[in-house]
Amino acid sequence: MMSMPSNALSRRTLLGGGLAVAGAALLSARGFARTPAKLPKRTRAPASGEKAISLAAQERPFRLLGAEAPETAIWTYGPEPFHLVRLARGETLSVDFENRLPEHTSIHWHGLRIPNDQDGVPYVTQAPVKPGERHSYRFTPPDTGTFWFHPHCDTAAQLGRGLAGVMIVEGDESRPYDEDIVVVLKDWRLDEKTGGYLPFSTPRGELRAGTFGTVRTANAAIAPRIALPAGGDCRLRLLNLDSTRIGSLGFEGMEAAIVAIDGNPIAPFPLHEWRLGPAMRLDVVVRAPASGAEGRLMDFFAAEPVTLATFVGEGEALKTGSFDPAPLTASDIPEPKTKGAERLRLAFATASGGKAALAIDDDRDPLANALLDSLCSASKTNWSMNGQSWPGGDHSNVPAPLFTLKEGRSYVVELSNETPHVHPIHLHGFTFKVLNSTRAELPVHYADTVLLTPNDRVTIGFVADRVGAWMVHCHLIEHQETGMMGYVRVV
Ligand code: C2O
Ligand code: CU
């Protein structure tokens, strides 16, 4: 049985306003189990076969500001914003991708543990897909859950125009929920009179917490009303696909429990307030309001909490007993050894001229010093990782890898934040276990992106089980694009 306070004010008081990882204090009072509770085993056999889809990146005008307002020239992969791809665990996805944009692009499959040559990073894992060209992707996602896909060069502008899709790999439920709804959170930088864009990056934003959108949306609508079956236990897949904003998400008027983080199942625990940074996902089960009643998805981070979406109960009440949502079934992410694992340290800092110059040319890496084009490099370098920045030295080349790892080995990495800003740190290709944080009280959980708050040191562990060059970067896109990006090579 789960219960939660319903008063947002008491939550804020307890959390102390601007606390870096809100939710932490309150949750710690309840105590996170250091050893995660056991999840039920999967009973359904994996599917087989192949699902073939076509995606075309193209401009498709859309009324983001409302039915009467001017259109915005958004970029999407399919007929609707945040095109949804659903497949079953075990199914192979084959994608015929066509670039109908005026500039080159590629598709990175965020959070999927797939082979490196399908990872979609221009110059690192594939050639850029030029305007008018096609490219095929083919892979079998090993994990169930809520994922997404997006470009990997000129990301502030391409993602800023909406170029992102959602991928759901089904087969993780132990009992079916009464509803399954995707909620994509994204802000847009719009001139509200014309529907046109404001600059996606600003020098001030690049150097600080990023440039924020002016129009907040859920599923490309401003504070939409979404119907839920009254009294049902409904799965809401929350995705933060914004380039900048870190939400502090919670619900009013509905009980809610977290059942997966970045697609990875975790034993259900009450959601009070959870900081969801760019690229992060949270699967939540809510008890839908009674018929005609409302519940709200809120961002509590601002002094004045913001309603992101309103949920309205419809029909006969489905459930009347206490809220005890079904857990998802266990995934099979390889468990990193912590004893005997190799320990590494990755420091996130501003780029000082001196430090950036320390970047070592690694002639043994085939990528280091590969030349980048202007969409994949930036003329400014604000940030660094272990003293190295992306692009390397003269702003045109791929730098040396941050680390060279051995295939099959476990690594424990301490991520340390030496800046006064929050960074959502993402590692491609591997799902890591968040073992510890010196500042945030977090449950031990699996993730592909973790928030690093100022002065925090977060320890993650993972098994480097696939060879290749795997990007690691801040997912606050203006940080990523002004230096806070690198890669590890697994050999
Ligand atoms: Cu969401 Cu480098 O990726
Ligand atoms: Cu950052």
Side-chain angles (χ1 to χ4, degrees):
M1 217 249 262
M2 314 187 83
S3 64
M4 63 176 291
S6 57
N7 185 334
L9 269 178
S10 70
R11 266 178 270 172
R12 289 205 64 78
T13 316
L14 276 162
L15 289 165
L19 183 66
V21 173
L26 196 116
L27 290 166
S28 81
R30 286 161 188 267
F32 281 122
R34 296 312 290 172
T35 348
K38 279 253 182 313
L39 291 166
K41 284 215 175 63
R42 282 180 186 142
T43 49
R44 225 177 309 167
S48 58
E50 185 160 323
K51 179 167 189 169
I53 62 164
S54 303
L55 298 176
Q58 112 180 31
E59 183 173 303
R60 295 178 172 94
F62 191 84
R63 290 190 200 280
L64 278 172
L65 293 164
E68 310 296 310
E71 286 181 335
T72 297
I74 68 167
W75 289 8
T76 68
Y77 289 114
E80 71 292 317
F82 313 120
H83 185 68
L84 173 63
V85 176
R86 265 182 194 269
L87 71 162
R89 181 173 74 98
E91 238 178 345
T92 296
L93 183 70
S94 88
V95 181
D96 173 23
F97 174 56
E98 188 184 346
N99 180 6
R100 297 187 195 147
L101 301 174
E103 62 185 55
H104 78 62
T105 190
S106 66
I107 307 182
H108 167 58
W109 310 92
H110 183 116
L112 296 187
R113 298 187 300 126
I114 56 179
N116 194 242
D117 62 0
Q118 302 301 304
D119 200 45
V121 183
Y123 298 105
V124 176
T125 69
Q126 68 167 85
V129 186
K130 300 211 186 77
E133 282 185 357
R134 305 178 97 95
H135 185 87
S136 310
Y137 295 93
R138 191 170 183 278
F139 50 79
T140 311
D143 305 311
T144 55
T146 307
F147 304 98
W148 68 297
F149 49 100
H150 61 81
H152 222 277
C153 281
D154 201 22
T155 314
Q158 294 193 3
L159 181 58
R161 292 184 173 92
L163 193 59
V166 176
M167 180 176 300
I168 292 177
V169 184
E170 293 172 337
D172 55 4
E173 294 181 0
S174 62
R175 284 204 305 269
Y177 300 113
D178 298 312
E179 185 61 282
D180 184 332
I181 285 183
V182 172
V183 182
V184 172
L185 303 174
K186 182 186 169 357
D187 303 349
W188 307 78
R189 300 255 313 141
L190 296 182
D191 174 336
E192 296 188 40
K193 283 204 198 77
T194 64
Y197 293 106
L198 301 171
F200 297 109
S201 305
T202 58
R204 189 188 158 86
E206 287 166 356
L207 280 164
R208 295 183 172 82
T211 304
F212 289 86
T214 54
V215 175
R216 302 193 68 176
T217 62
N219 294 346
I222 300 166
R225 291 172 72 81
I226 300 172
L228 293 180
D233 282 352
C234 302
R235 179 177 191 170
L236 305 181
R237 301 171 185 261
L238 311 180
L239 298 98
N240 182 346
L241 304 194
D242 195 47
S243 304
T244 309
R245 192 181 301 272
I246 300 163
S248 202
L249 304 183
F251 289 89
E252 279 184 349
M254 291 194 289
E255 285 187 285
I258 294 173
V259 295
I261 298 172
D262 288 353
N264 304 290
I266 187 165
F269 64 95
L271 164 61
H272 302 289
E273 204 168 312
W274 187 265
R275 290 210 62 194
L276 199 70
M280 298 166 81
R281 288 90 65 215
L282 201 64
D283 282 53
V284 167
V285 175
V286 297
R287 173 61 59 86
S291 198
E294 290 180 358
R296 278 173 303 281
L297 171 62
M298 309 292 296
D299 183 353
F300 293 113
F301 193 67
E304 197 56 48
V306 176
T307 300
L308 299 172
T310 301
F311 297 90
V312 190
E314 274 187 357
E316 288 294 308
L318 291 179
K319 290 190 175 62
T320 48
S322 59
F323 181 54
D324 187 16
L328 296 175
T329 54
S331 64
D332 34 39
I333 308 292
E335 174 77 24
K337 291 197 199 86
T338 48
K339 280 194 202 106
E342 193 172 331
R343 293 189 171 255
L344 304 168
R345 192 166 168 273
L346 200 47
F348 297 81
T350 51
S352 66
K355 268 195 164 182
L358 284 177
I360 308 148
D361 277 349
D362 188 346
D363 295 331
R364 290 161 304 167
D365 194 89
L367 272 184
N369 302 321
L371 287 186
L372 300 169
D373 70 73
S374 63
L375 285 192
C376 296
S377 57
S379 53
K380 267 173 289 174
T381 302
N382 298 327
W383 307 96
S384 68
M385 294 162 62
N386 280 5
Q388 241 182 259
S389 300
W390 184 286
D394 65 352
H395 295 282
S396 64
N397 66 322
V398 175
L402 292 159
F403 299 110
T404 301
L405 311 179
K406 293 215 175 66
E407 186 186 4
R409 279 234 213 146
S410 286
Y411 291 88
V412 169
V413 189
E414 186 188 80
L415 310 171
S416 86
N417 187 352
E418 296 171 5
T419 78
H421 300 286
V422 184
H423 307 285
I425 302 303
H426 172 48
L427 171 64
H428 284 211
F430 304 100
T431 300
F432 50 77
K433 194 171 186 180
V434 178
L435 299 165
N436 188 49
S437 154
T438 57
R439 297 254 312 154
E441 195 83 31
L442 290 170
V444 171
H445 67 279
Y446 286 99
D448 54 57
T449 307
V450 67
L451 272 189
L452 198 54
T453 63
N455 300 315
D456 201 355
R457 293 197 306 279
V458 170
T459 309
I460 63 168
F462 68 99
V463 182
D465 61 357
R466 271 152 310 120
V467 297
W470 299 103
M471 306 306 288
V472 36
H473 61 86
C474 181
H475 225 293
L476 203 157
I477 304 299
E478 287 164 285
H479 292 177
Q480 173 189 6
E481 291 192 332
T482 61
M484 203 175 265
M485 177 157 74
Y487 65 101
V488 297
R489 177 167 296 282
V490 179
V491 293

